[in-house]
Amino acid sequence: VRWERSLGAIVREKNQPMTPEAVRDKWEKVCDFDNASKPRTIQESITVLSDALTLIESQGSVSMNSTSSGSVVSSSVDMTSIVGQEVATNVYKYTHLEPILYALGVGMSTKDPDHLKFLFEGSEDFCCLPSFGVIPAQTSMFGSIPSLAGLNIDITKQNLTMCMCSSLLTGQLTSVSTVADVLDKGSGAVLLIDVNTYCGKDLVCYNQFSLFFVGAGGFGGKRTSEKAKVTANPPKRPPDAVISDVTTADQAALYRLSGDWNVLHIDPSFAMLAGFKKPILHGLCSFGFAARNVLKQFANNDVNRFKAIKVRFAKPVFPGQTLQTEMWKEGNRIHFQTKVKETGEVAISGGYVDLVAALDKPSAREPLKTSGLQSDLVFEEIGRRVKEMGNELVKKVNAVFQWDITKDGKTAMQWTIDLKNGSGAVYQGPARGSVDTTFSLSDEDF
């Protein structure tokens, strides 16, 4: 016995009802088994329906891609030719509402005082979770997939790498999606999609998605790529920290408001058709839980220390289950995995977060190094003023300045005035992070 299905036909357009006449007009195509596909699993079959819904939503008027009987890749598609292809540019506009909604979607609560700066726009330290950077990127990346003809995604097999370049600002972000590479895994193909997200001309976030396409393999391509960001197994010892979070029955319903409208996460009938007993939680929701746990446990919720994160989505999670984040510290890299406490299954594997090294703030008890320069007295006075007005100045200035003070043509002292992070700071030495402006002038001129 072999399961065959026709390619079918889409019989409605966006915001238009399906009519008997439309079905009648497409009936011959609906019943055409000349190029029938041969699904091996329910999940493989459901991707066609999911893609059709996505196409209707994104394009308004569409037609099904023609496929061969042995594969879900059109014979006309040269897989290697799409490498380097820019597949989408998406503009994402947002205010304080979207980061707050995202924070709630990944389990943050006003019950925890440490979460308030992610939930209250009036907080003095209001900011968004670093993992929020995946939201505009995902919108761009998934919007681009329908433009790659003949590909059906298996949503259970994804990898994600995200690197933060700077704090995201309220306003407008532009994400550009590019096919970095295509790998031949035999039973399917893996597409590496790079998404660069910009605020104006400044790169604020980089994401790499690794997507598995069922039945698209066997085209003679390479199996590995130097462009792929690889996962890393955790150390073989008990975790240094474990945090458990009980998700709510409405976790997926809340998280989807951040922009992932896949009905698999909300519609019981569709979930059953896809082979699940009920709707599953978004993988990126579990990802958000893990990311914020690492941030709190090892960076004291300092978003400026969050550098990069890599995960592999291994198993589905159901809303209401308990996510158990296990973490291991190895220098500035935090390895982690997420288990479903009720079943013991690993939902996220091979994950890690790279943190920026903690900055040692100079102790108030330690006297500043004296250099005998006239400018030292000025910087010491600036430091006193910053202590008094730092919070206000940071809000107004939002920049880091480095001063290279010279004497007899050589650099004699460096000072940094940080009016960007925390409540501001003035200290001797070069800037401990990125600097916005560097001034170089003589002690006498200063």
Side-chain angles (χ1 to χ4, degrees):
V1 178
R2 183 175 66 197
W3 178 15
E4 290 192 3
R5 62 180 295 172
S6 72
L7 296 179
I10 293 177
V11 294
R12 73 175 179 89
E13 296 182 1
K14 185 176 179 180
N15 299 324
Q16 298 295 323
M18 182 177 69
T19 66
E21 290 77 15
V23 176
R24 178 200 62 200
D25 295 342
K26 297 288 183 69
W27 189 248
E28 184 175 345
K29 190 172 183 180
V30 170
C31 300
D32 182 3
F33 279 82
D34 288 344
N35 291 311
S37 62
K38 302 177 179 63
R40 290 163 292 182
T41 64
I42 293 177
Q43 286 87 346
E44 187 174 320
S45 172
I46 203 68
T47 56
V48 177
L49 301 181
S50 179
D51 286 346
L53 291 173
T54 301
L55 285 166
I56 291 171
E57 180 62 29
S58 63
Q59 298 180 0
S61 179
V62 294
S63 60
M64 294 291 285
N65 291 321
S66 126
T67 61
S68 66
S69 59
S71 170
V72 296
V73 172
S74 169
S75 60
S76 63
V77 175
D78 179 3
M79 296 296 287
T80 58
S81 68
I82 64 176
V83 175
Q85 178 180 332
E86 184 177 306
V87 289
T89 297
N90 183 73
V91 175
Y92 181 83
K93 297 180 180 179
Y94 72 107
T95 65
H96 61 273
L97 175 64
E98 284 77 11
I100 292 174
L101 194 58
Y102 174 78
L104 290 170
V106 297
M108 297 203 112
S109 168
T110 54
K111 294 178 181 178
D112 190 331
D114 290 345
H115 293 179
L116 191 61
K117 72 175 185 178
F118 300 105
L119 299 173
F120 176 39
E121 72 283 1
S123 169
E124 192 173 87
D125 299 318
F126 178 64
C127 57
C128 63
L129 286 166
S131 53
F132 176 72
V134 77
I135 297 298
Q138 182 194 28
T139 303
S140 173
M141 188 272 301
F142 278 117
S144 69
I145 296 306
S147 66
L148 299 178
L151 294 178
N152 293 329
I153 184 174
D154 181 347
I155 60 169
T156 64
K157 299 178 182 179
Q158 299 181 35
N159 288 342
L160 168 67
T161 303
M162 187 177 73
C163 298
M164 300 301 296
C165 299
S166 67
S167 298
L168 292 171
L169 303 174
T170 298
Q172 180 172 298
L173 301 172
T174 302
S175 296
V176 180
S177 302
T178 305
V179 179
D181 215 341
V182 182
L183 307 180
D184 187 348
K185 296 296 185 178
S187 62
V190 171
L191 257 68
L192 301 180
I193 307 289
D194 285 349
V195 185
N196 289 306
T197 300
Y198 301 88
C199 180
K201 294 183 179 180
D202 296 329
L203 178 66
V204 295
C205 186
Y206 159 78
N207 285 268
Q208 184 182 84
F209 296 85
S210 175
L211 306 178
F212 186 84
F213 290 87
V214 179
F219 56 89
K222 57 186 179 181
R223 293 186 60 85
T224 60
S225 172
E226 68 283 356
K227 299 176 183 177
K229 314 298 181 184
V230 297
T231 54
N233 293 325
K236 294 183 178 180
R237 57 180 170 82
D240 298 320
V242 179
I243 297 178
S244 295
D245 298 284
V246 180
T247 63
T248 70
D250 296 319
Q251 202 72 58
L254 178 58
Y255 181 82
R256 71 191 297 265
L257 300 181
S258 287
D260 189 339
W261 303 104
N262 192 329
V263 293
L264 177 64
H265 304 295
I266 192 70
D267 186 343
S269 299
F270 194 90
M272 291 185 67
L273 192 59
F276 300 103
K277 60 183 180 181
K278 57 183 179 180
I280 61 174
L281 189 63
H282 304 73
L284 287 175
C285 181
S286 302
F287 159 84
F289 271 85
R292 69 171 177 79
N293 283 336
V294 172
L295 184 70
K296 180 175 180 177
Q297 185 71 31
F298 295 98
N300 195 30
N301 277 337
D302 183 354
V303 297
N304 294 305
R305 292 193 58 201
F306 195 98
K307 185 178 180 181
I309 183 170
K310 171 70 180 181
V311 300
R312 180 180 185 275
F313 300 106
K315 293 285 185 179
V317 176
F318 293 104
Q321 290 184 320
T322 304
L323 297 174
Q324 183 171 290
T325 308
E326 301 175 345
M327 297 163 276
W328 294 260
K329 189 177 189 304
E330 294 281 304
N332 290 321
R333 172 165 288 186
I334 312 300
H335 297 265
F336 71 90
Q337 65 181 15
T338 298
K339 287 183 177 178
V340 177
K341 191 173 184 179
E342 289 79 2
T343 65
E345 290 189 323
V346 176
I348 294 178
S349 63
Y352 63 81
V353 170
D354 287 335
L355 298 174
V356 176
L359 303 180
D360 296 324
K361 295 184 178 180
S363 171
R365 299 178 182 177
E366 296 177 1
L368 293 173
K369 298 177 182 178
T370 58
S371 59
L373 300 177
Q374 300 177 70
S375 55
D376 289 349
L377 297 174
V378 181
F379 281 107
E380 290 172 18
E381 178 61 25
I382 293 174
R384 284 191 285 271
R385 300 288 180 91
V386 169
K387 285 183 179 179
E388 295 173 0
M389 308 169 56
N391 289 326
E392 182 181 345
L393 290 170
V394 167
K395 290 179 181 178
K396 290 182 178 179
V397 180
N398 191 37
V400 178
F401 306 101
Q402 179 177 306
W403 298 79
D404 296 343
I405 306 300
T406 63
K407 189 172 184 179
D408 300 328
K410 297 180 181 179
T411 301
M413 178 61 70
Q414 289 179 306
W415 286 87
T416 298
I417 302 177
D418 182 349
L419 298 178
K420 191 173 191 175
N421 301 300
S423 57
V426 177
Y427 53 86
Q428 287 181 345
R432 296 165 180 156
S434 60
V435 63
D436 293 289
T437 306
T438 299
F439 299 94
S440 181
L441 70 165
S442 71
D443 180 54
E444 183 179 24
D445 288 342
F446 182 85

